[in-house]
Amino acid sequence: MKRTFLFLLSVSLFSTGFAQKKYNPTWESIDSRPIPTWFTDAKFGIFIHWGLYAVPAWGPVGKEWPVYSKYAEWYWYRMQSDSSKVGNAFRAFHAKTYGPNFRYQDFANSFKAELFNPDQWADLFAASGAKYVVLTSKHHEGFTLWPSKESWNWNAVDVGPHRDLAGDLTRAVKKKGLHMGFYYSLYEWYNPLYHTNVGRYVDEHMLPQLKDLVTRYSPDVVWPDGEWEHPSSTWKSTDFLAWLYNESPVRETVVVNDRWGKETRSKHGGYYTTEYDLIGDVNSKEIKMAHPWEECRGIGGSFGYNRAETLQEYESSASLVHLLIERVAKGGNLLLDIGPAADGTIPVIMQQRLLDMGRWLQANGEAIYGTQAWSKVPQAKKEATQFFTQKGQDLYVLCTTFPTAPIVVENVGKPSRVSLLGSKAVVQSTAGNGGVTIIPPDLKPGETGEYAWVFKLEGVH
Ligand code: GLC
């Protein structure tokens, strides 16, 4: 009785924000923090890789190149430190285009962002149906998109655009009512302090930068990366997270990922991450994830803009919608990346893909946002074209091809109503034997939507 009372008291104090739980700098304590629901409800975010690599904007293209080798944002490392065939490809392009003696650092002069219009970007993101945005505040090259005093003369205000790109975008994105977040690379390829004294690098460079980002811009997502060379104890990750969760201005709302040290992916931190369906080198499709997770990938084969990619390399709008559906039906989010150009424009093909997704979400978003993976989902077949999400008492059946034959859904009661989202067509159905059969309406071209079709079964749970 007394325990119940104390429990209820602490629950109500917690929810009124009075007695916020205090987190200790241990994984056990940090991992006990629930992931704010805005994130698991949001489902769809936009990732942005933007830095000096947007100037050469080049990477190898084609099926013969493995996933990671195609990343244009790895340009500096590939040309300077990679002796493999991948490095050779980057070096050959560099020598041919800029000459072998042209230094990566000199790309800063051509990174001008002269057409960067943050409000236009934010309008596009909002129209895409995304609910959050994650910008590379600093990638492995160490160049910061905000005026970091630790990155003296190696940031977007001191050189290049002469503008606080991170701050300007943050204001525009928040004004649109979207959540703003930052990617931040823990390691830096060529920072001498990192290589000579990682302890000092963490104390004097990395942690001050992370705290500066958080206190200046109040991001709702902190998305570390480049964690793999050291354990989280070297990065002092739990110290930072205890500060973030106990004291920072975003302690109530902030969400983080799992890239905090070489031992932490899919184990510690906030939500788990996959990247082109990989976790490191493991194919994540074989892993069932009950914990909140997020898949990130580009529309083509790179995060940073790669000018060498042709239309063939870009996913179609239909396959991007399918990608979102598949991830959400498995309880995940999709963080879809775009790579803006060095002049601050977003390649038009990327704009078009995002707007198409937004149009689909406009009609069908209720089957995505705020849903959960269906608890009774049937064993997925390899070439599955039907996916399921649930919200409250309703079940959504998301079809990635327009069904021409009746759809049988097992393990559901009789629905009070069946409808096709975005359509006024009457949908017939029959119920019995613990299942429902949906008869797809006979629609003519022009009466159907595009990309994917969603049946809503009301009141089945
Ligand atoms: C990686 C890469 C990278 C990209 C990223 C996104 O680990 O190094 O270039 O930023 O993760 O998930």
Side-chain angles (χ1 to χ4, degrees), residues 280-303:
D281 293 324
V282 180
N283 186 344
S284 68
K285 281 195 170 158
E286 286 146 30
I287 301 166
K288 199 166 170 221
M289 279 189 278
H291 189 80
W293 62 279
E294 175 191 75
E295 155 77 355
C296 66
R297 49 161 301 146
I299 300 177
S302 174
F303 287 97

Side-chain angles (χ1 to χ4, degrees), residues 47 49 71 73-74 139-140 183 223 225 228 259 265 275 296 303:
F47 211 179
H49 274 59
Y71 293 177
E73 71 276 13
W74 273 70
H139 203 261
H140 312 327
Y183 167 107
W223 212 102
D225 183 39
W228 47 80
R259 301 184 177 189
R265 282 200 201 193
E275 172 176 332
C296 66
F303 287 97

Side-chain angles (χ1 to χ4, degrees), residues 45-89:
I46 302 292
F47 211 179
I48 307 169
H49 274 59
W50 203 25
L52 297 192
Y53 41 82
V55 176
W58 187 88
V61 173
K63 294 236 179 312
E64 67 275 25
W65 297 98
V67 172
Y68 300 114
S69 68
K70 294 195 275 204
Y71 293 177
E73 71 276 13
W74 273 70
Y75 192 97
W76 192 6
Y77 180 86
R78 296 293 182 212
M79 75 179 234
Q80 189 148 321
S81 309
D82 181 353
S83 56
S84 77
K85 150 171 168 226
V86 181
N88 293 343

